[in-house]
Amino acid sequence: MNKILDMMERELKQAFTASGYEDSFAKVVLSNRPDLCEYQCNGAMAAAKAYKKKPIDIANQVVEHLASGGSHPVFSEAEAVMPGFINLKLSDAFLAEYAGAMASADKLGLEAPEKPETVIVDYGGANVAKPLHVGHLRAAIIGESIKRMGRFLGHHMIGDVHLGDWGLQMGLIIEELKDRKPELVYFDESFEGPFPQEAPFTISELEEIYPAASAKSKVDEVFKERAHQATLKLQRGYAPFRAIWQHIMAVSVSDLKKNYANLNVEFDLWKGESDAEPYIGDMIQMLVDKGLAYESQGALVVDVAQDTDTKEIPPCLIRKSDGASLYATSDLATIVEREQDFKPDRYIYVVDKRQGMHFEQVFRVAKRAGIVKEDTPMIFLGFGTMNGKDGKPFKTREGGVMRLEKLIEEINEAVYQRIMENRTVSEDEARSTAAVVGLAALKYGDLSNQAAKDYVFDIERFTSFEGNTGPYILYTIVRIKSIIAKYRENGGQVSQDAVEKKILACTGSSEKALMLLLARYNEVLENSFAETAPHKICQYIYELANAFNSFYHDTKILAEEDEARKESYIGLISLTRRVLESCIGLLGIEAPERM
Ligand code: ARG
């Protein structure tokens, strides 16, 4: 379906042309004076400069031509006001028709993109052998939403978890394991294999081994150097260490999969830094051959600074003097692999914004070296920190790093308490509902902020059933479901689908406000994806939920005596529910049956 903005613009264009002006001035935008109008066109002001006339005269002419079109079904009112604004109101009949069309259209009238793109979304970024903590939460939540949005719009989205599975943590674990269990065959130089199938540790042991090793390396230089050497050995393919690495991967990845599944986050690819390894050698050679990479103090670097830079961008380090590859090396080699496998039209990286410089360097090298085409968008969606109420990065009460599982437990408990306050459901039901609503509270609390901003994790606010929160949105959906259920119990015969097609022109202002918002669905979705901004979906559904609740407050839906009117109301709220459900689905949130 055409977007209502485009439909309005078409009318305005025709009126500008008919009045003797270029139609490029016919842009329509949402009103910034909702008390006066619903949409507006400010084009007369710009046209006035071009044609050396008074804006209000142009606005008046355009409005006349809008009105003189005889029955013009899109607008019910178009008014020129000083200094030259054109205030617009949509016709009730047009809106009702639009809502009806949404109801019967595939995807509620969302159109497929002109040119579907293949898009890599690099998100998650968990580090193998380290437990997920809240820092990984944002990457997972935001990335999942971007991926779902693009996929729903019709793009070929490929979500890659891009595990941190190749760094120093591996050497640390190997050496710590050696200290603890020197008798293992992996440390016996004369052992010729085959290596055992069974991992020499469980996930809980592994989760304890890494922090211990990491702490040790901070005070013990010798240990740190051993870990470093072990990492190099692993990267060069030393079989016993490869075997340990396989165990670490198997144990850790199955645990990670479980954790991400609990968050309703799914990846298409479970690749990691290690997968880039085979591409590194040729890539470095290519960078050298092209004259881009050069030696500097024994290391290999690529200059990336440009004349237009406003801040200093240091050269990108490709190889250390000891031959070790770096974070940038593996990210670049990963791009080589992705180009080979998918030829992406776009890259989106959802990573902590403190890594912005790293990605700037990597993107520049990728383009300079021709690994990626010059015009392929590489988007770094850097997110801010989740802070505690003290404004510092979120910690446990004891001051440690909060584990993700623990955080979810806490929020579920808070929701559970709230549900039990009302005591309308059994304890069991309250528990299972709290798990669904808790996750929604957490995700919505995150996604409703612009990604780049830091935000405060406020469990009180996030779990509140009022205000701009996940539970409020879910509560609104549940409320609509229960009205529709009652309507059916009372003998409302018509199927949901049929009812939505019977939406009549509105009679009240809150009803119209609701319809106006519903009609923006396709525009909001397209925009949110184009701007990689899930918070715009949150903003929209918050307004929509508010609009529904005002309408519900103003209207006796089930007590309505006019049968056709009642059906129209039911149709309208049913469509509202579908729009809300579609949007929360894109945020990775589900609604419970009751709450
Ligand atoms: N593992 C990294 C970290 O925890 C994040 C990975 C982000 N993605 C990437 N392609 N570098 O910091």
Side-chain angles (χ1 to χ4, degrees):
M1 279 168 74
N2 286 320
K3 296 189 277 286
I4 54 164
L5 266 179
D6 293 343
M7 296 169 90
M8 285 188 264
E9 211 155 293
R10 207 173 304 143
E11 299 285 319
L12 264 297
K13 276 189 172 166
Q14 195 206 314
F16 268 87
T17 310
S19 318
Y21 305 108
E22 286 241 9
D23 69 2
S24 58
F25 296 110
K27 195 169 161 51
V28 176
V29 293
L30 260 181
S31 160
N32 54 20
R33 286 291 303 272
D35 51 327
L36 297 181
C37 60
E38 295 153 359
Y39 285 88
Q40 63 189 59
C41 169
N42 307 336
M45 255 81 70
K49 287 201 189 96
Y51 291 93
K52 306 208 168 13
K53 286 189 181 177
K54 278 200 205 131
I56 189 70
D57 293 344
I58 296 180
N60 269 317
Q61 272 179 297
V62 171
V63 163
E64 215 158 279
H65 281 98
L66 263 183
S68 66
S71 64
H72 57 98
V74 177
F75 300 113
S76 61
E77 256 181 77
E79 194 192 1
V81 296
M82 285 302 274
F85 295 112
I86 300 171
N87 287 349
L88 301 164
K89 283 188 182 164
L90 285 166
S91 103
D92 300 344
F94 167 77
L95 269 181
E97 209 177 288
Y98 197 84
M102 278 175 78
S104 22
D106 184 32
K107 294 189 186 177
L108 296 159
L110 189 71
E111 281 185 357
E114 259 166 51
K115 181 184 158 294
E117 292 186 356
T118 296
V119 184
I120 293 276
V121 192
D122 182 314
Y123 70 110
N127 297 313
V128 167
K130 305 188 199 174
L132 283 178
H133 59 75
V134 294
H136 296 110
L137 183 70
R138 298 211 70 191
I141 294 180
I142 299 167
E144 178 71 14
S145 172
I146 303 285
K147 185 194 70 187
R148 289 183 184 214
M149 281 157 61
R151 189 164 289 167
F152 187 65
L153 282 166
H155 295 292
H156 177 216
M157 305 298 285
I158 304 166
D160 184 357
V161 65
H162 197 74
L163 296 172
D165 61 357
W166 206 229
L168 183 64
Q169 90 253 37
M170 294 301 174
L172 286 166
I173 293 168
I174 291 171
E175 288 305 310
E176 178 66 20
L177 198 62
K178 187 174 182 179
D179 284 355
R180 293 183 183 205
K181 302 182 181 175
E183 71 283 2
L184 291 175
V185 289
Y186 310 93
F187 307 115
D188 175 358
E189 301 262 340
S190 61
F191 184 77
E192 294 190 343
F195 293 101
Q197 295 287 310
E198 183 107 358
F201 39 70
T202 62
I203 181 68
S204 22
E205 281 170 310
L206 193 57
E207 284 179 356
E208 192 261 316
I209 289 176
Y210 171 72
S214 164
K216 202 194 272 184
S217 74
K218 293 201 174 98
V219 293
D220 182 343
E221 276 299 319
V222 177
F223 180 75
K224 192 173 168 188
E225 183 50 30
R226 275 172 53 200
H228 185 67
Q229 290 307 324
T231 309
L232 271 179
K233 246 173 141 172
L234 167 70
Q235 295 188 349
R236 290 186 186 134
Y238 180 58
F241 288 3
R242 273 280 182 172
I244 299 182
W245 180 83
Q246 296 283 5
H247 290 312
I248 298 175
M249 289 299 284
V251 169
S252 192
V253 169
S254 77
D255 186 60
L256 281 172
K257 286 196 171 162
K258 202 179 68 204
N259 274 296
Y260 279 123
N262 286 340
L263 282 175
N264 257 334
V265 169
E266 281 161 27
F267 298 96
D268 305 292
L269 297 179
W270 278 84
K271 295 250 180 189
E273 292 172 4
S274 63
D275 291 290
E277 180 69 13
Y279 298 87
I280 290 179
D282 286 354
M283 180 189 76
I284 291 184
Q285 193 54 51
M286 179 271 283
L287 292 173
V288 172
D289 292 347
K290 288 198 170 171
L292 290 169
Y294 65 94
E295 288 227 7
S296 165
Q297 293 164 359
L300 204 60
V301 302
V302 176
D303 283 335
V304 290
Q306 295 167 356
D307 294 344
T308 48
D309 290 342
T310 50
K311 61 170 191 262
E312 201 194 317
I313 317 262
C316 183
L317 254 169
I318 303 292
R319 198 178 58 205
K320 287 206 281 194
S321 49
D322 64 4
S325 50
L326 294 109
Y327 192 35
T329 328
S330 90
D331 262 321
L332 277 167
T334 301
I335 297 173
V336 172
E337 186 187 14
R338 287 171 178 168
E339 285 290 322
Q340 168 205 286
D341 292 354
F342 305 109
K343 296 201 175 24
D345 299 299
R346 180 182 298 266
Y347 289 83
I348 303 175
Y349 289 80
V350 185
V351 184
D352 191 313
K353 71 177 175 199
R354 287 169 293 191
Q355 295 190 25
M357 177 65 85
H358 162 77
F359 282 100
E360 186 60 45
Q361 294 174 310
V362 167
F363 295 169
R364 286 187 185 192
V365 176
K367 296 234 163 143
R368 272 203 189 168
I371 299 172
V372 173
K373 283 208 298 289
E374 190 52 52
D375 58 355
T376 301
M378 302 191 87
I379 299 163
F380 175 66
L381 183 60
F383 53 79
T385 316
M386 180 171 122
N387 290 328
K389 281 190 178 160
D390 57 0
K392 299 201 184 99
F394 193 78
K395 294 266 158 64
T396 59
R397 267 184 225 106
E398 294 75 36
V401 175
M402 178 69 113
R403 290 183 52 164
L404 200 49
E405 288 161 78
K406 191 86 191 71
L407 186 79
I408 294 175
E409 240 168 63
E410 270 190 25
I411 203 155
N412 287 355
E413 182 59 29
V415 172
Y416 172 77
Q417 296 299 342
R418 283 196 199 260
I419 296 175
M420 291 309 281
E421 275 167 24
N422 302 323
R423 290 182 180 284
T424 47
V425 294
S426 71
E427 259 174 55
D428 278 354
E429 188 177 340
R431 279 276 170 225
S432 60
T433 304
V436 177
V437 180
L439 188 57
L442 185 66
K443 288 190 171 188
Y444 192 92
D446 185 297
L447 291 169
S448 53
N449 301 285
Q450 206 181 320
K453 294 217 172 105
D454 298 346
Y455 72 92
V456 172
F457 178 73
D458 183 343
I459 208 164
E460 280 295 308
R461 192 170 72 74
F462 286 10
T463 60
S464 169
F465 282 33
E466 280 153 39
N468 190 9
T469 69
Y472 170 66
I473 305 291
L474 299 189
Y475 189 70
T476 303
I477 293 173
V478 167
R479 179 179 257 176
I480 298 175
K481 282 190 194 171
S482 94
I483 300 168
I484 293 174
K486 271 209 199 92
Y487 168 76
R488 291 240 175 76
E489 276 165 32
N490 298 345
Q493 299 288 343
V494 194
S495 81
Q496 168 190 317
D497 216 40
V499 149
E500 286 179 9
K501 284 177 209 148
K502 294 193 173 179
I503 295 173
L504 302 172
C506 61
T507 54
S509 63
S510 58
E511 188 181 4
K512 182 164 194 191
L514 182 57
M515 287 185 161
L516 279 167
L517 275 166
L518 287 171
R520 291 187 50 207
Y521 171 78
N522 46 12
E523 168 231 329
V524 170
L525 258 50
E526 282 181 18
N527 252 328
S528 306
F529 180 67
E531 296 176 21
T532 45
H535 74 278
K536 297 214 162 168
I537 292 185
C538 295
Q539 216 168 311
Y540 172 66
I541 56 178
Y542 179 50
E543 280 177 46
L544 187 58
N546 281 339
F548 163 76
N549 284 306
S550 305
F551 168 67
Y552 176 68
H553 181 82
D554 288 352
T555 318
K556 299 209 163 36
I557 298 175
L558 293 174
E560 173 60 48
E561 278 167 13
D562 179 342
E563 234 3 87
R565 186 51 65 186
K566 181 152 77 175
E567 275 179 4
S568 169
Y569 287 159
I570 294 292
L572 186 61
I573 67 170
S574 170
L575 185 63
T576 305
R577 193 202 82 193
R578 279 210 288 152
V579 167
L580 286 172
E581 281 180 339
S582 155
C583 290
I584 63 168
L586 300 179
L587 302 175
I589 292 174
E590 287 166 9
E593 273 314 302
R594 306 192 289 178
M595 63 188 272

